[in-house]
Amino acid sequence: MQPQQVTVLGATGSIGSSTLDVISQHPQRYQVFALTAHSRISELQALCVRFQPRFAVVAEAAKAQRLQADLQVAGVATRVLVGPQGLCEVAAHPDVDTVMAAIVGAAGLESVMAAVTAGKKILLANKEALVMSGALFMSAVREHKAQLLPIDSEHNAIFQCLPCNYAEGLEPVGVRRILLTASGGPFRNSSYQTLEQVTPEQACAHPNWSMGQKISVDSATMMNKGLELIEACWLFAARPDQVEVVVHPQSVIHSLVDYVDGSVLAQLGNPDMRTPIAHAMAWPERIDSGVAPLDLCALARMDFVAPDLERFACLRLAIEAAKLGGTAPIALNAANEVAVAAFLQNRLRFTQIPQLIEKVLSLSRVSTVNDLAGVFEIDREARQQAQAWLNKQSI
Ligand code: NDP
Ligand code: MG
């Protein structure tokens, strides 16, 4: 069997490095075709030396030239490409079998769409892409016969709990609800007064998962669960009212599917992204991920509680945007990306994140879009509105 050729978009990130960890455990099965990075160029260089990909992609021409020269000196034959065009090229290249979409935020949309249009096997971590372009994305998957496998642990769990597998083109039968579990983040039990004083360092210190900064802040505000609710609706053809969020602080049950006959199926595992990554990479087979077996007796208990939509207003706003549909999730996502970046730069208080998003949502007129250009137009408008609001605030 020839090894599968894998492009890792966002190779220097948290999902990127977990993916490379799984790949390195199965060298007969997977070969790295291309690796991409944005700001962490020396990390990318080290990865190129280790995995010898055919291509690497970075954002700027000057950095690409320097990296190319350094790789030549090191005797590495990797060709370095530049910018969004380079990302799309390595996502859609005819020699690529599988694309891990692990760039964070709207910046990852164009390249994952290039992979979809080229009919690749897509391992989707970049939930923002689906939130922004759900209808277009899913119809492109069908039209180009791409294979879409969810990496987000909750969606991967749901996928595993659907016996009629939607990836084979079969609609799941008899599903009553999807139960999306949430850890509740580092401020699950914090008062509103405490939330007002939260620092970026505290927000990025997740109790169960080690992740990139943006998703860590999203987990702390629970916007992550809101984005995941929208993601679940697209992946599993569900209405927003069929997806219920349950706070489960231990993050051992990754999500559940409730059937009309009363059966509830769940997927459990230690909180380590290598499990859903290995599952999706090998599907429908199974491979070792390097994750330790779950020790239920050591865990001893599992807790569940309903989310507090007042303290975690971002989740409420995302549910509202999901119900509005159309372009509302694009505006929600854009406003959230601006708000999170401002919070990380100490330009916005933690509790102002939902205020900014609510303002942008109130200004955005819900419509529909027919292509990616339309998606980016709504995204740009919402970012401008968010910046204008931000410039008027004092923290
Ligand atoms: P990280 O911040 O750790 O990594 C992001 C990656 O994207 C890096 O390789 C980064 O490059 C690259 N990148 C950032 N901005 C750009 C840009 N403008 N253009 C091109 N590349 C860019 O994020 P995570 O790995 O945590 O998350 C990645 C995605 O996966 C997100 O959408 C997240 O929601 C999703 N996800 C993550 C989970 C996790 O456990 N981390 C779990 C479930 C989903 P560089 O580092 O060189 O700047
Ligand atoms: Mg998740």
Side-chain angles (χ1 to χ4, degrees):
M1 191 174 75
Q2 289 282 351
Q4 280 182 46
Q5 297 294 323
V6 185
T7 282
V8 184
L9 302 170
T12 43
S14 155
I15 293 288
S17 57
S18 295
T19 304
L20 292 170
D21 185 305
V22 173
I23 288 177
S24 65
Q25 294 176 55
H26 302 278
Q28 310 297 324
R29 214 179 158 116
Y30 306 108
Q31 210 165 54
V32 176
F33 180 83
L35 297 172
T36 86
H38 189 63
S39 59
R40 288 178 269 190
I41 310 297
S42 53
E43 282 86 342
L44 180 64
Q45 185 174 337
L47 292 175
C48 288
V49 171
R50 181 167 165 214
F51 290 98
Q52 308 268 326
R54 234 161 97 185
F55 295 101
V57 186
V58 298
E60 293 162 28
K63 287 182 180 162
Q65 267 177 9
R66 212 169 314 136
L67 176 61
Q68 187 71 80
D70 289 347
L71 288 173
Q72 255 153 19
V73 171
V76 178
T78 303
R79 224 184 104 205
V80 184
L81 307 177
V82 188
Q85 212 183 328
L87 294 176
C88 291
E89 196 175 324
V90 298
H93 196 286
D95 294 347
V96 170
D97 302 301
T98 301
V99 176
M100 166 56 80
I103 291 175
V104 61
L109 174 56
E110 217 183 338
S111 50
V112 69
M113 272 300 228
V116 170
T117 309
K120 302 298 183 194
K121 173 172 172 175
I122 317 282
L123 313 178
L124 184 70
N126 177 217
K127 64 194 83 182
E128 296 92 342
L130 200 53
V131 167
M132 292 173 74
S133 71
L136 290 169
F137 194 102
M138 295 309 289
S139 75
V141 165
R142 282 187 291 272
E143 187 188 339
H144 299 283
K145 299 192 170 38
Q147 197 178 55
L148 181 59
L149 291 148
I151 293 297
D152 217 341
S153 57
E154 296 75 3
H155 305 74
N156 185 270
I158 296 160
F159 180 82
Q160 294 196 48
C161 296
L162 291 173
C164 281
N165 226 316
Y166 87 108
E168 289 170 340
L170 300 170
E171 290 294 317
V173 175
V175 173
R176 182 160 53 190
R177 278 178 315 165
I178 286 171
L179 296 164
L180 202 58
T181 52
S183 69
F187 312 125
R188 184 168 50 89
N189 294 321
S190 304
S191 67
Y192 189 83
Q193 287 68 27
T194 310
L195 293 183
E196 288 195 306
Q197 308 304 325
V198 157
T199 64
E201 290 69 31
Q202 290 169 326
C204 289
H206 196 280
N208 305 340
W209 300 93
S210 157
M211 310 181 284
Q213 280 195 323
K214 193 263 178 180
I215 186 177
S216 296
V217 176
D218 284 349
S219 298
T221 61
M222 290 196 75
M223 176 54 90
N224 184 47
K225 215 44 58 181
L227 298 176
E228 290 183 356
L229 184 144
I230 299 170
E231 184 186 12
C233 289
W234 288 116
L235 284 174
F236 307 112
R239 295 187 313 271
D241 65 345
Q242 290 176 303
V243 185
E244 201 173 303
V245 174
V246 185
V247 176
H248 161 47
Q250 291 88 359
S251 297
V252 163
I253 294 186
H254 297 305
S255 275
L256 314 90
V257 178
D258 174 21
Y259 288 89
V260 286
D261 62 5
S263 304
V264 179
L265 302 190
Q267 185 260 356
L268 284 73
N270 284 319
D272 186 320
M273 288 307 293
R274 290 176 301 170
T275 295
I277 290 168
H279 171 266
M281 287 193 72
W283 186 86
E285 295 172 18
R286 295 263 180 186
I287 54 170
D288 192 350
S289 65
V291 175
L294 179 62
D295 183 345
L296 282 173
C297 294
L299 174 67
R301 58 180 276 183
M302 290 194 275
D303 299 289
F304 304 94
V305 60
D308 179 342
L309 298 186
E310 272 180 45
R311 262 184 318 133
F312 295 99
C314 283
L315 178 56
R316 171 179 60 78
L317 292 167
I319 295 170
E320 283 170 18
K323 288 183 177 161
L324 283 170
T327 52
I330 308 176
L332 173 94
N333 180 68
N336 182 55
E337 287 194 23
V338 173
V340 171
F343 169 68
L344 288 170
Q345 293 161 6
N346 290 304
R347 290 181 60 208
L348 198 68
R349 272 185 286 119
F350 187 76
T351 44
Q352 288 177 307
I353 295 175
Q355 291 171 19
L356 186 156
I357 298 166
E358 188 146 33
K359 181 67 194 171
V360 172
L361 279 180
S362 75
L363 293 173
S364 95
R365 200 172 31 85
V366 178
S367 57
T368 52
V369 284
N370 303 317
D371 52 23
L372 270 199
V375 172
F376 284 122
E377 178 60 23
I378 304 286
D379 175 78
R380 197 182 51 76
E381 267 172 30
R383 281 170 199 268
Q384 273 174 358
Q385 284 159 347
Q387 282 300 343
W389 188 90
L390 203 53
N391 294 339
K392 280 190 263 160
Q393 299 303 309
S394 53
I395 70 164

Short mmCIF file of all heavy atoms in Angstrom, two decimals, residues 75-120:
data_model
loop_
_atom_site.label_atom_id
_atom_site.label_comp_id
_atom_site.label_asym_id
_atom_site.label_seq_id
_atom_site.Cartn_x
_atom_site.Cartn_y
_atom_site.Cartn_z
N GLY A 75 20.25 21.04 3.32
CA GLY A 75 20.12 19.87 2.43
C GLY A 75 18.70 19.34 2.34
O GLY A 75 18.48 18.17 2.03
N VAL A 76 17.71 20.21 2.58
CA VAL A 76 16.30 19.78 2.50
C VAL A 76 15.72 20.28 1.17
O VAL A 76 15.85 21.46 0.83
CB VAL A 76 15.49 20.37 3.69
CG1 VAL A 76 14.02 19.97 3.58
CG2 VAL A 76 16.08 19.91 5.02
N ALA A 77 15.07 19.37 0.42
CA ALA A 77 14.62 19.70 -0.94
C ALA A 77 13.24 20.36 -1.00
O ALA A 77 12.72 20.60 -2.08
CB ALA A 77 14.62 18.43 -1.79
N THR A 78 12.65 20.66 0.13
CA THR A 78 11.30 21.27 0.18
C THR A 78 11.27 22.57 -0.61
O THR A 78 12.17 23.40 -0.48
CB THR A 78 10.94 21.57 1.66
OG1 THR A 78 11.01 20.36 2.39
CG2 THR A 78 9.55 22.18 1.77
N ARG A 79 10.19 22.74 -1.42
CA ARG A 79 10.00 24.00 -2.15
C ARG A 79 9.08 24.90 -1.34
O ARG A 79 8.02 24.45 -0.89
CB ARG A 79 9.37 23.71 -3.51
CG ARG A 79 10.04 24.49 -4.63
CD ARG A 79 9.33 24.24 -5.94
NE ARG A 79 8.52 25.40 -6.26
CZ ARG A 79 7.46 25.36 -7.04
NH1 ARG A 79 7.05 24.23 -7.55
NH2 ARG A 79 6.80 26.46 -7.31
N VAL A 80 9.47 26.15 -1.16
CA VAL A 80 8.68 27.05 -0.30
C VAL A 80 7.78 27.94 -1.17
O VAL A 80 8.26 28.62 -2.07
CB VAL A 80 9.59 27.92 0.59
CG1 VAL A 80 8.74 28.78 1.53
CG2 VAL A 80 10.55 27.05 1.40
N LEU A 81 6.48 27.92 -0.89
CA LEU A 81 5.50 28.74 -1.60
C LEU A 81 5.02 29.86 -0.67
O LEU A 81 5.27 29.81 0.54
CB LEU A 81 4.31 27.89 -2.05
CG LEU A 81 4.62 26.63 -2.86
CD1 LEU A 81 3.34 25.86 -3.17
CD2 LEU A 81 5.36 26.98 -4.15
N VAL A 82 4.28 30.82 -1.25
CA VAL A 82 3.91 32.01 -0.48
C VAL A 82 2.41 32.27 -0.49
O VAL A 82 1.76 32.12 -1.53
CB VAL A 82 4.58 33.28 -1.07
CG1 VAL A 82 4.36 34.48 -0.15
CG2 VAL A 82 6.04 33.06 -1.31
N GLY A 83 1.88 32.69 0.66
CA GLY A 83 0.57 33.33 0.77
C GLY A 83 -0.62 32.45 0.47
O GLY A 83 -0.49 31.23 0.30
N PRO A 84 -1.81 33.08 0.38
CA PRO A 84 -3.06 32.34 0.17
C PRO A 84 -3.03 31.45 -1.07
O PRO A 84 -3.56 30.34 -1.05
CB PRO A 84 -4.11 33.45 0.01
CG PRO A 84 -3.53 34.64 0.71
CD PRO A 84 -2.05 34.52 0.57
N GLN A 85 -2.34 31.93 -2.13
CA GLN A 85 -2.27 31.12 -3.35
C GLN A 85 -1.49 29.82 -3.10
O GLN A 85 -1.87 28.75 -3.56
CB GLN A 85 -1.58 31.93 -4.43
CG GLN A 85 -2.06 31.62 -5.81
CD GLN A 85 -1.28 32.42 -6.84
OE1 GLN A 85 -0.86 33.56 -6.56
NE2 GLN A 85 -1.07 31.84 -8.00
N GLY A 86 -0.41 29.95 -2.35
CA GLY A 86 0.39 28.78 -1.98
C GLY A 86 -0.43 27.80 -1.14
O GLY A 86 -0.36 26.58 -1.35
N LEU A 87 -1.22 28.34 -0.21
CA LEU A 87 -2.06 27.48 0.64
C LEU A 87 -3.04 26.68 -0.22
O LEU A 87 -3.21 25.47 -0.04
CB LEU A 87 -2.85 28.32 1.65
CG LEU A 87 -2.06 29.05 2.73
CD1 LEU A 87 -2.99 29.92 3.59
CD2 LEU A 87 -1.29 28.07 3.62
N CYS A 88 -3.68 27.39 -1.18
CA CYS A 88 -4.67 26.72 -2.05
C CYS A 88 -3.97 25.67 -2.92
O CYS A 88 -4.52 24.58 -3.15
CB CYS A 88 -5.41 27.74 -2.91
SG CYS A 88 -6.50 28.79 -1.91
N GLU A 89 -2.76 25.99 -3.38
CA GLU A 89 -2.04 25.05 -4.25
C GLU A 89 -1.74 23.73 -3.52
O GLU A 89 -1.98 22.66 -4.07
CB GLU A 89 -0.73 25.72 -4.71
CG GLU A 89 -0.12 25.01 -5.90
CD GLU A 89 1.11 25.76 -6.43
OE1 GLU A 89 1.12 27.01 -6.41
OE2 GLU A 89 2.05 25.07 -6.85
N VAL A 90 -1.26 23.82 -2.30
CA VAL A 90 -0.92 22.57 -1.59
C VAL A 90 -2.16 21.84 -1.06
O VAL A 90 -2.11 20.65 -0.76
CB VAL A 90 0.11 22.77 -0.45
CG1 VAL A 90 1.43 23.28 -1.01
CG2 VAL A 90 -0.41 23.68 0.66
N ALA A 91 -3.29 22.59 -0.96
CA ALA A 91 -4.55 21.95 -0.53
C ALA A 91 -5.19 21.17 -1.67
O ALA A 91 -5.87 20.17 -1.44
CB ALA A 91 -5.52 23.01 0.00
N ALA A 92 -4.98 21.65 -2.90
CA ALA A 92 -5.69 21.07 -4.05
C ALA A 92 -4.77 20.28 -4.98
O ALA A 92 -5.22 19.76 -6.00
CB ALA A 92 -6.35 22.21 -4.84
N HIS A 93 -3.49 20.16 -4.64
CA HIS A 93 -2.51 19.51 -5.53
C HIS A 93 -2.97 18.08 -5.90
O HIS A 93 -3.42 17.33 -5.03
CB HIS A 93 -1.15 19.45 -4.81
CG HIS A 93 -0.02 19.16 -5.74
ND1 HIS A 93 0.20 17.89 -6.25
CD2 HIS A 93 0.94 19.94 -6.26
CE1 HIS A 93 1.25 17.91 -7.04
NE2 HIS A 93 1.72 19.15 -7.06
N PRO A 94 -2.84 17.72 -7.19
CA PRO A 94 -3.33 16.38 -7.60
C PRO A 94 -2.68 15.22 -6.85
O PRO A 94 -3.29 14.15 -6.74
CB PRO A 94 -2.97 16.32 -9.09
CG PRO A 94 -2.37 17.62 -9.47
CD PRO A 94 -2.38 18.54 -8.31
N ASP A 95 -1.47 15.39 -6.32
CA ASP A 95 -0.81 14.28 -5.63
C ASP A 95 -1.22 14.14 -4.16
O ASP A 95 -0.75 13.25 -3.46
CB ASP A 95 0.72 14.44 -5.70
CG ASP A 95 1.22 14.32 -7.12
OD1 ASP A 95 0.44 13.87 -7.99
OD2 ASP A 95 2.39 14.69 -7.37
N VAL A 96 -2.08 15.07 -3.68
CA VAL A 96 -2.49 15.03 -2.25
C VAL A 96 -3.74 14.18 -2.08
O VAL A 96 -4.67 14.26 -2.86
CB VAL A 96 -2.78 16.46 -1.75
CG1 VAL A 96 -3.44 16.45 -0.38
CG2 VAL A 96 -1.50 17.26 -1.69
N ASP A 97 -3.72 13.31 -1.04
CA ASP A 97 -4.90 12.51 -0.73
C ASP A 97 -5.74 13.17 0.37
O ASP A 97 -6.95 13.22 0.29
CB ASP A 97 -4.48 11.12 -0.21
CG ASP A 97 -3.62 10.40 -1.23
OD1 ASP A 97 -4.11 10.19 -2.35
OD2 ASP A 97 -2.46 10.06 -0.91
N THR A 98 -5.05 13.65 1.41
CA THR A 98 -5.73 14.07 2.63
C THR A 98 -5.25 15.45 3.05
O THR A 98 -4.05 15.72 3.01
CB THR A 98 -5.41 13.06 3.77
OG1 THR A 98 -5.84 11.78 3.35
CG2 THR A 98 -6.08 13.42 5.07
N VAL A 99 -6.20 16.31 3.45
CA VAL A 99 -5.84 17.66 3.90
C VAL A 99 -6.35 17.88 5.32
O VAL A 99 -7.55 17.77 5.58
CB VAL A 99 -6.44 18.74 2.96
CG1 VAL A 99 -6.16 20.14 3.49
CG2 VAL A 99 -5.89 18.58 1.55
N MET A 100 -5.43 18.15 6.24
CA MET A 100 -5.82 18.55 7.60
C MET A 100 -6.00 20.06 7.58
O MET A 100 -5.05 20.81 7.34
CB MET A 100 -4.72 18.15 8.59
CG MET A 100 -4.83 18.79 9.95
SD MET A 100 -6.40 18.53 10.80
CE MET A 100 -6.16 16.88 11.45
N ALA A 101 -7.24 20.52 7.82
CA ALA A 101 -7.55 21.96 7.80
C ALA A 101 -7.46 22.48 9.23
O ALA A 101 -8.43 22.43 9.98
CB ALA A 101 -8.93 22.20 7.22
N ALA A 102 -6.28 22.97 9.61
CA ALA A 102 -6.05 23.39 11.00
C ALA A 102 -5.48 24.80 11.11
O ALA A 102 -4.77 25.13 12.06
CB ALA A 102 -5.14 22.38 11.72
N ILE A 103 -5.82 25.64 10.11
CA ILE A 103 -5.53 27.08 10.26
C ILE A 103 -6.64 27.63 11.14
O ILE A 103 -7.78 27.17 11.07
CB ILE A 103 -5.49 27.76 8.87
CG1 ILE A 103 -4.26 27.28 8.10
CG2 ILE A 103 -5.51 29.29 8.99
CD1 ILE A 103 -4.17 27.78 6.67
N VAL A 104 -6.32 28.62 11.97
CA VAL A 104 -7.35 29.16 12.86
C VAL A 104 -8.10 30.31 12.18
O VAL A 104 -7.50 31.14 11.50
CB VAL A 104 -6.72 29.59 14.22
CG1 VAL A 104 -5.67 30.67 14.05
CG2 VAL A 104 -7.80 30.04 15.19
N GLY A 105 -9.44 30.30 12.33
CA GLY A 105 -10.26 31.43 11.92
C GLY A 105 -10.54 31.53 10.43
O GLY A 105 -10.28 30.60 9.66
N ALA A 106 -11.07 32.72 10.06
CA ALA A 106 -11.49 32.96 8.67
C ALA A 106 -10.32 32.78 7.70
O ALA A 106 -10.54 32.48 6.52
CB ALA A 106 -12.04 34.38 8.55
N ALA A 107 -9.10 32.95 8.17
CA ALA A 107 -7.92 32.82 7.31
C ALA A 107 -7.81 31.43 6.69
O ALA A 107 -7.11 31.24 5.71
CB ALA A 107 -6.66 33.13 8.12
N GLY A 108 -8.52 30.45 7.26
CA GLY A 108 -8.42 29.08 6.75
C GLY A 108 -9.49 28.72 5.74
O GLY A 108 -9.46 27.62 5.17
N LEU A 109 -10.44 29.63 5.49
CA LEU A 109 -11.59 29.26 4.66
C LEU A 109 -11.21 28.96 3.20
O LEU A 109 -11.61 27.93 2.65
CB LEU A 109 -12.66 30.37 4.73
CG LEU A 109 -13.86 30.22 3.81
CD1 LEU A 109 -14.56 28.89 4.02
CD2 LEU A 109 -14.86 31.37 4.03
N GLU A 110 -10.44 29.86 2.60
CA GLU A 110 -10.17 29.72 1.17
C GLU A 110 -9.43 28.40 0.86
O GLU A 110 -9.77 27.70 -0.09
CB GLU A 110 -9.30 30.91 0.74
CG GLU A 110 -9.63 31.41 -0.63
CD GLU A 110 -8.69 32.53 -1.04
OE1 GLU A 110 -8.09 33.18 -0.15
OE2 GLU A 110 -8.57 32.74 -2.25
N SER A 111 -8.43 28.08 1.69
CA SER A 111 -7.64 26.88 1.39
C SER A 111 -8.43 25.60 1.62
O SER A 111 -8.30 24.65 0.85
CB SER A 111 -6.33 26.88 2.19
OG SER A 111 -6.58 27.12 3.55
N VAL A 112 -9.29 25.58 2.65
CA VAL A 112 -10.06 24.34 2.85
C VAL A 112 -11.08 24.20 1.73
O VAL A 112 -11.33 23.08 1.25
CB VAL A 112 -10.69 24.26 4.26
CG1 VAL A 112 -11.79 25.25 4.50
CG2 VAL A 112 -11.25 22.86 4.50
N MET A 113 -11.61 25.31 1.24
CA MET A 113 -12.54 25.24 0.10
C MET A 113 -11.82 24.74 -1.15
O MET A 113 -12.41 24.00 -1.96
CB MET A 113 -13.16 26.62 -0.16
CG MET A 113 -14.41 26.85 0.65
SD MET A 113 -15.69 25.62 0.28
CE MET A 113 -17.07 26.69 0.05
N ALA A 114 -10.56 25.12 -1.30
CA ALA A 114 -9.77 24.63 -2.45
C ALA A 114 -9.64 23.11 -2.35
O ALA A 114 -9.76 22.40 -3.36
CB ALA A 114 -8.39 25.29 -2.48
N ALA A 115 -9.44 22.61 -1.14
CA ALA A 115 -9.33 21.15 -0.94
C ALA A 115 -10.66 20.46 -1.23
O ALA A 115 -10.70 19.39 -1.84
CB ALA A 115 -8.87 20.86 0.48
N VAL A 116 -11.76 21.08 -0.79
CA VAL A 116 -13.09 20.52 -1.03
C VAL A 116 -13.35 20.44 -2.54
O VAL A 116 -13.77 19.40 -3.07
CB VAL A 116 -14.19 21.37 -0.34
CG1 VAL A 116 -15.58 20.94 -0.79
CG2 VAL A 116 -14.08 21.28 1.18
N THR A 117 -13.08 21.55 -3.23
CA THR A 117 -13.35 21.62 -4.67
C THR A 117 -12.50 20.61 -5.43
O THR A 117 -12.90 20.13 -6.49
CB THR A 117 -13.08 23.06 -5.16
OG1 THR A 117 -13.77 23.95 -4.29
CG2 THR A 117 -13.58 23.30 -6.56
N ALA A 118 -11.33 20.29 -4.89
CA ALA A 118 -10.47 19.29 -5.54
C ALA A 118 -10.86 17.86 -5.13
O ALA A 118 -10.19 16.90 -5.51
CB ALA A 118 -9.01 19.57 -5.20
N GLY A 119 -11.93 17.72 -4.30
CA GLY A 119 -12.45 16.40 -3.95
C GLY A 119 -11.56 15.60 -3.01
O GLY A 119 -11.52 14.37 -3.05
N LYS A 120 -10.83 16.29 -2.14
CA LYS A 120 -9.91 15.59 -1.22
C LYS A 120 -10.64 14.98 -0.02
O LYS A 120 -11.80 15.29 0.24
CB LYS A 120 -8.87 16.58 -0.68
CG LYS A 120 -8.06 17.28 -1.74
CD LYS A 120 -7.24 16.31 -2.57
CE LYS A 120 -6.38 17.04 -3.58
NZ LYS A 120 -5.85 16.12 -4.59
#
